[in-house]
Amino acid sequence: MTKILITGANGQLGSELRNLLDERGDAYDAFDSKGLDITDKQAVDAKFDALKPEVVYHCAAYTAVDNAEDEGKQANWKVNEDGTRNVAEAAKRVDAKMVYISTDYVFDGTNPDEYQVDDPTNPKNEYGKAKLAGERAVKDTMNDHYIIRTSWVFGKYGKNFVYTMLRLAKDHDKLTVVDDQFGRPTWTRTLAEFMIYLVDNNQPFGTYQLSNAGSCSWYEFASEILKDKEVEVSPVPSEAYPQKAYRPRHSIMSLDKAENTRFKI
């Protein structure tokens, strides 16, 4: 049986991935930041040398996008670039395949069409810049890797937009949501299945983009989430909710490469 190691084990994606592997009856070693500090190179090396994984699902990430602009800037880069490089170097040393999760924020959101995998990147916030640096660290370190860019992630575990909308709907009769930012929502289950699919089916190494089919604005997404709730949802421009970090206005990524693997999205 393939030896599997998961970082970021208790995050919304790591939790979904563990649940899926449990359903399949696959054994794995999974660590949260307390069990494995990926920014500590010696700790990472020691863990990999002891376990000798064959597949590494790197779900650990710093995802506080607004905090990454100031007080969390150092942690953002330490985790998303340095930590990812530590994991990639350790994975290469034990001859493991690695799956790294990246983001639509590597693009600037100015393309009115879909972003292709090979389109020029141009991140406009610190989170996107650090995640792109993580991509480069993986590419520069090892050949046997999969980079999966995703967007608007939601699921059963952790904090996400769906839970936020449901929580707000309990205490409000009216909600306003921005209607000038467009993207593709991604269910963690679909993403976890794709991660495993690439490895199990020996798909070509490289960069992929994965979300669920269809695109929408945050307002449209919220309206769908709350369609059965007694709450009025109204559209507003992004200027109504100023945020520290720049948000891409049109970060719709092409799914062509993922679909060409015959994975059912």
Side-chain angles (χ1 to χ4, degrees):
M1 185 174 285
T2 302
K3 292 184 178 179
I4 297 171
L5 186 148
I6 302 171
T7 68
N10 293 335
Q12 66 170 336
L13 177 57
S15 297
E16 189 76 73
L17 182 60
R18 288 189 294 111
N19 183 58
L20 180 54
L21 291 171
D22 287 341
E23 289 179 9
R24 289 162 46 104
D26 293 344
Y28 56 84
D29 291 294
F31 304 95
D32 61 9
S33 58
K34 294 179 181 178
L36 178 60
D37 179 359
I38 63 170
T39 68
D40 184 338
K41 180 173 174 54
Q42 289 186 329
V44 173
D45 288 345
K47 190 73 74 176
F48 276 62
D49 289 344
L51 297 176
K52 291 183 169 52
E54 298 168 270
V55 176
V56 178
Y57 293 112
H58 183 39
C59 302
Y62 183 94
T63 58
V65 177
D66 288 314
N67 284 343
E69 294 296 306
D70 39 51
E71 64 262 31
K73 189 171 182 177
Q74 183 176 359
N76 169 49
W77 284 91
K78 205 171 178 183
V79 172
N80 291 332
E81 181 183 26
D82 299 343
T84 298
R85 180 179 290 105
N86 291 341
V87 172
E89 290 177 348
K92 181 182 180 181
R93 194 176 61 256
V94 299
D95 199 27
K97 299 174 183 177
M98 178 173 172
V99 181
Y100 169 65
I101 305 302
S102 190
T103 173
D104 60 318
Y105 281 19
V106 300
F107 298 114
D108 59 19
T110 61
N111 183 358
D113 298 315
E114 295 181 352
Y115 281 100
Q116 302 298 318
V117 169
D118 297 325
D119 280 350
T121 52
N122 185 31
K124 291 294 189 179
N125 60 37
E126 290 298 313
Y127 170 72
K129 291 174 183 177
K131 291 297 288 183
L132 180 60
E135 286 190 17
R136 290 171 176 160
V138 173
K139 291 177 182 177
D140 292 345
T141 299
M142 60 192 302
N143 294 320
D144 295 357
H145 69 263
Y146 298 102
I147 294 169
I148 305 174
R149 294 175 183 149
T150 192
S151 60
W152 295 24
V153 178
F154 70 95
K156 178 180 178 181
Y157 307 96
K159 298 177 181 178
N160 56 65
F161 184 74
V162 173
Y163 284 145
T164 297
M165 289 298 102
L166 292 173
R167 175 175 53 81
L168 291 173
K170 291 180 180 179
D171 303 320
H172 298 77
D173 296 325
K174 298 181 180 180
L175 294 174
T176 55
V177 183
V178 297
D179 67 343
D180 54 3
Q181 296 175 24
F182 297 86
R184 293 188 191 274
T186 308
W187 185 27
T188 50
R189 178 78 179 198
T190 306
L191 181 54
E193 288 175 347
F194 185 63
M195 294 165 69
I196 294 173
Y197 180 88
L198 290 175
V199 174
D200 284 358
N201 292 277
N202 295 310
Q203 292 298 311
F205 294 118
T207 303
Y208 293 79
Q209 295 176 161
L210 192 283
S211 293
N212 291 101
S215 62
C216 61
S217 68
W218 285 115
Y219 162 71
E220 291 170 326
F221 192 18
S223 296
E224 179 64 21
I225 294 165
L226 301 175
K227 63 182 180 181
D228 296 323
K229 305 295 182 181
E230 294 184 2
V231 57
E232 179 184 335
V233 183
S234 300
V236 294
S238 295
E239 287 74 21
Y241 289 102
Q243 295 174 298
K244 292 180 182 178
Y246 170 87
R247 260 63 171 187
R249 292 296 179 95
H250 199 266
S251 60
I252 298 174
M253 297 186 294
S254 170
L255 307 179
D256 289 350
K257 187 173 179 179
E259 290 175 334
N260 286 339
T261 68
R262 299 193 177 182
F263 175 77
K264 187 175 181 180
I265 296 175

